[in-house]
């Protein structure tokens, strides 16, 4: 019985082995050279009947030797090779070892091999064994169990949904209906919330509306995910929910405002709900409210009062966008601000206003501050007005 290296040929640096007795076989399995052990295991796997025909060695059966080594092994590739070889044999002991290995090891490849062997022996018993592992979120066995159970005709919506969430291959996803509602809400409120929401999004608007009707059964992070989905895909349906959350669930305000910033047009009609947050003493909430589209009656007065740099930058941008008053003077004044972020926002605002500000900006080319002069030249370049244009015209 030859023992070539897996994949063909001989193990590198290893003398060709000849296995002609149980002693040769066991000595090869116990070799200190890992490559020799792998080659012997592969040879056994190719011809298990011949290996068994050599009989026991020193009173020990071949399966006992492999099981013993598997239990002692801390090497992932070695453990997988040992189990793969053991799996070619029949008998209840192999199934028992597969169950033990599945419970104790953590290599995903080995876990899948063990679960597959259990399925081959007795599918009904294997399903009963694997299902409880689906709920061990902290263990790799959960994903392995789901991958093996995918496509096995499971009945309970809770189990089918968990398999669909964790499986590495396509699995049946239960519809979001009255029968499965509790299962979906449990997953949306749990560790696999993002994956559950991803699966649910395949149900489109109908699924979103049903989820909206289950609002009180969701936790804060799940509610944020539902709002984000609505803002992205169903802005016409989500506005009323946003208003209700801003009014009645202030503990979610920060996350809700972040979601709204992805679709600032949603602020139309929500002025009264956003106003308290835009006037909050909490700087972060104020900034989030403005990013979400909160309106101000007097931007100029707010700019004079506001100390937060991020909010001031945002207000300068708003100043350039509004059409109630000429923003030029305010933006020009902020080009001399000591904070570079404010100067940058003011410069961007002037460039956004358009060519009409070119004359006023050109006047800053003689400013006493070198920074202001350089910024003015940059703005003129963006407006398509060379800083030298006036001088060239004079010439």
């Amino acid at each position: 019985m030859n023992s070539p290296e897996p994949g063909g040929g001989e193990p590198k640096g290893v003398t060709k082995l000849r296995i002609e007795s149980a002693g040769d076989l066991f000595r090869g399995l116990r070799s200190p050279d890992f490559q020799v052990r792998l080659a012997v295991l592969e040879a056994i796997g190719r011809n298990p009947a011949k290996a068994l025909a050599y009989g026991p060695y020193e009173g020990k059966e071949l399966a006992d030797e492999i099981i013993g080594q598997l239990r002692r092994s801390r090497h992932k590739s070695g453990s997988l090779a040992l189990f793969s070889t053991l799996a070619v044999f029949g008998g209840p002991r192999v199934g028992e070892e597969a169950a033990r290995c599945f419970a104790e090891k953590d290599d995903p490849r080995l876990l899948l091999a063990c679960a597959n062997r259990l399925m081959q022996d007795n599918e009904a018993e294997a399903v009963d064994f694997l299902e409880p592992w689906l709920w061990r979120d902290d263990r790799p066995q959960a994903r392995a169990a789901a991958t093996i159970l995918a496509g096995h005709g499971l009945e309970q919506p809770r189990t089918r949904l968990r398999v669909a969430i964790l499986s590495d291959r396509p699995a049946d996803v239960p519809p979001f209906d009255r029968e499965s509602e509790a299962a979906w809400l449990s997953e949306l409120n749990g560790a696999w919330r993002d994956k559950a929401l991803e699966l649910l999004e395949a149900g489109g608007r109908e699924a979103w509306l049903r989820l909206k009707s289950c609002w009180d059964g969701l936790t804060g992070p799940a509610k944020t995910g539902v709002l984000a989905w609505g803002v992205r895909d169903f802005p016409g349906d989500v506005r009323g929910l946003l208003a209700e959350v801003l009014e009645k669930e202030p503990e979610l305000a920060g996350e809700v405002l972040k979601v709204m910033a992805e679709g600032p047009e949603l602020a139309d009609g929500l002025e009264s709900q956003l106003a308290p947050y835009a006037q909050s003493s909490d700087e972060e909430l104020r900034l989030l409210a403005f990013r979400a589209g909160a309106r101000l009656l007097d931007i100029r007065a707010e700019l004079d009062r506001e100390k937060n740099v991020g909010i001031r930058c945002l207000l300068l941008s708003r100043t350039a966008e509004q059409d109630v008053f000429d923003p030029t003077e305010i933006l020009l004044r902020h080009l001399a601000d000591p904070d570079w972020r404010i100067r940058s926002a003011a410069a961007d605002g002037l460039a956004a206003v358009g060519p009409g500000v070119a004359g006023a900006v050109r006047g800053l080319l003689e400013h006493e501050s070198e920074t202001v002069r350089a910024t003015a030249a940059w703005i003129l370049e963006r407006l398509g007005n060379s800083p030298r244009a006036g001088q060239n015209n004079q010439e």
Side-chain angles (χ1 to χ4, degrees), residues 8-134:
E10 298 175 3
K12 187 176 180 180
V14 176
T15 302
K16 185 176 182 180
L17 299 174
R18 300 291 300 182
I19 298 177
E20 298 176 341
S21 67
D24 293 338
L25 185 61
F26 276 69
R27 281 189 290 273
L29 284 173
R30 296 169 181 175
S31 170
D33 190 316
F34 179 62
Q35 292 299 325
V36 170
R37 298 199 303 275
L38 286 181
V40 173
L41 288 168
E42 187 176 82
I44 294 170
R46 286 198 307 269
N47 198 341
K50 187 172 182 180
L52 288 174
Y54 288 127
Y57 177 67
E58 296 180 344
K60 195 168 193 177
E61 297 287 348
L62 178 58
D64 292 327
E65 177 66 22
I66 295 174
I67 289 173
Q69 289 195 24
L70 179 57
R71 293 186 177 187
R72 295 190 299 272
S73 175
R74 297 296 179 267
H75 189 292
K76 289 185 176 181
S77 294
S79 296
L80 181 60
L82 286 162
F83 181 79
S84 297
T85 301
L86 180 65
V88 302
F89 300 116
R93 292 186 62 205
V94 178
E96 292 169 4
E97 194 60 24
R100 184 202 64 80
C101 228
F102 186 90
E104 296 180 2
K105 302 291 186 177
D106 61 5
D107 178 14
R109 300 169 302 166
L110 180 56
L111 297 177
L112 289 172
C114 292
N116 266 319
R117 175 53 196 255
L118 291 170
M119 279 290 190
Q120 293 170 13
D121 286 350
N122 188 313
E123 182 173 323
E125 290 183 2
V127 170
D128 289 341
F129 172 79
L130 293 171
E131 275 194 21
W133 287 101
L134 294 171

Side-chain angles (χ1 to χ4, degrees), residues 117-378:
R117 175 53 196 255
L118 291 170
M119 279 290 190
Q120 293 170 13
D121 286 350
N122 188 313
E123 182 173 323
E125 290 183 2
V127 170
D128 289 341
F129 172 79
L130 293 171
E131 275 194 21
W133 287 101
L134 294 171
W135 316 106
R136 296 292 300 273
D137 292 337
D138 59 330
R139 300 291 299 277
Q141 283 86 348
R143 189 172 294 278
T147 300
I148 296 300
L149 290 172
H152 278 278
L154 303 170
E155 295 183 3
Q156 294 299 320
R158 175 173 178 262
T159 305
R160 290 166 58 200
L161 179 55
R162 177 52 69 100
V163 167
I165 288 172
L166 295 181
S167 176
D168 287 332
R169 61 187 184 190
D172 173 54
V173 181
F176 185 29
D177 54 25
R178 185 179 299 278
E179 182 183 3
S180 64
E181 182 179 291
W184 279 103
L185 293 182
S186 176
E187 295 293 1
L188 288 165
N189 290 331
W192 301 103
R193 173 180 58 256
D194 292 343
K195 181 61 178 179
L197 196 58
E198 178 187 327
L199 292 175
L200 198 55
E201 287 181 5
R205 182 170 180 266
E206 182 180 350
W208 188 85
L209 290 173
R210 184 174 186 88
L211 197 51
K212 176 186 173 184
S213 72
C214 300
W215 187 256
D216 291 340
L218 297 171
T219 60
K223 289 179 176 180
T224 301
V226 174
L227 288 172
W229 178 16
V231 166
R232 184 180 69 247
D233 294 346
F234 315 111
D237 296 311
V238 78
R239 184 177 277 105
L241 182 57
L242 288 170
E244 186 174 341
V245 174
L246 288 172
E247 290 177 355
K248 299 180 180 179
E249 301 184 65
E251 69 277 8
L252 296 179
E255 295 303 317
V256 173
L257 293 171
K258 289 177 186 177
V259 166
M260 289 184 66
E262 299 300 318
E265 67 281 356
L266 289 167
D268 294 337
L270 298 181
E271 290 83 359
S272 63
Q273 287 82 12
L274 288 170
Y277 300 104
Q279 298 164 12
S280 170
S281 60
D282 185 319
E283 289 187 354
E284 183 177 358
L285 271 183
R286 288 205 308 279
L287 178 58
L288 290 173
F290 289 130
R291 285 177 176 168
R295 307 290 196 272
L296 284 171
L297 293 177
D298 191 341
I299 294 180
R300 290 169 289 192
E302 190 63 32
L303 264 171
D304 291 336
R305 287 194 300 265
E306 185 58 60
K307 303 301 181 185
N308 181 277
V309 172
I311 297 176
R312 291 179 68 203
C313 288
L314 191 59
L315 292 176
L316 286 169
S317 176
R318 292 277 185 85
T319 299
E321 295 168 357
Q322 56 78 44
D323 56 7
V324 176
F325 61 87
D326 184 352
T328 307
E329 187 276 328
I330 290 178
L331 295 171
L332 288 172
R333 175 160 49 88
H334 282 85
L335 289 180
D337 194 277
D339 192 300
W340 69 269
R341 292 167 291 181
I342 299 296
R343 296 197 301 271
S344 178
D348 286 339
L350 285 164
V353 171
V357 301
V361 173
R362 190 174 296 281
L364 296 178
L365 292 175
E366 303 299 326
H367 196 279
E368 61 183 12
S369 167
E370 181 180 355
T371 299
V372 173
R373 295 197 300 272
T375 304
W378 176 82

